[in-house]
Amino acid sequence: QVQLVESGGGSVQPGASLRLFCRASGFTFTIYIMCWYRQAPGQQREFVATINTASSTNYADSVECRFTIYRDNAKKTVYLQMNNLNPDNTAVYYCHARRGQTYWGQGTQVTVSS
């Protein structure tokens, strides 16, 4: 019954922007810490950004000042605004929720190329 459904990925050119969506259901969204992770081809899954229940945020060094994570508790949705994308950002992006229990979404593909 727990679901995290990502959307908003796509194929874009370098310098473009994308906004990713993660829509949650089946758990008490407001008390969970939400995160975005990504996994590039042949690479391990890595942390991108997190937002806690008080909307305090943290980012990987590689994306800070370009990516923004935010949440809308009324809509049970967490977002990742990605600006000035480059080919190194190509990956499957995964939504993650944690509070004792951990949940993962299925991922959404982001491809950045010329």
Side-chain angles (χ1 to χ4, degrees):
Q1 64 175 319
V2 171
Q3 289 187 311
L4 296 172
V5 181
E6 301 97 331
S7 62
S11 182
V12 299
Q13 297 179 4
S17 297
L18 283 173
R19 181 182 292 116
L20 305 184
F21 302 75
C22 174
R23 297 176 174 87
S25 61
F27 64 97
T28 307
F29 180 81
T30 55
I31 64 174
Y32 276 72
I33 297 172
M34 303 300 299
C35 302
W36 287 96
Y37 285 75
R38 67 187 178 193
Q39 188 166 18
Q43 303 294 317
Q44 296 188 149
R45 191 170 299 187
E46 66 175 351
F47 169 79
V48 175
T50 186
I51 183 166
N52 71 8
T53 56
S55 294
S56 179
T57 60
N58 283 289
Y59 299 90
D61 289 344
S62 61
V63 306
E64 192 161 15
C65 300
R66 295 191 301 116
F67 290 12
T68 302
I69 186 172
Y70 57 103
R71 66 194 294 162
D72 185 335
N73 288 336
K75 295 183 178 181
K76 297 182 178 180
T77 302
V78 62
Y79 308 83
L80 185 68
Q81 177 67 43
M82 305 185 295
N83 297 326
N84 195 23
L85 288 162
N86 64 68
D88 290 339
N89 301 139
T90 295
V92 178
Y93 284 72
Y94 296 92
C95 186
H96 176 268
R98 77 170 190 268
R99 183 184 178 271
Q101 186 62 269
T102 298
Y103 306 117
W104 289 96
Q106 293 299 116
T108 185
Q109 177 71 51
V110 172
T111 301
V112 186
S113 65
S114 299

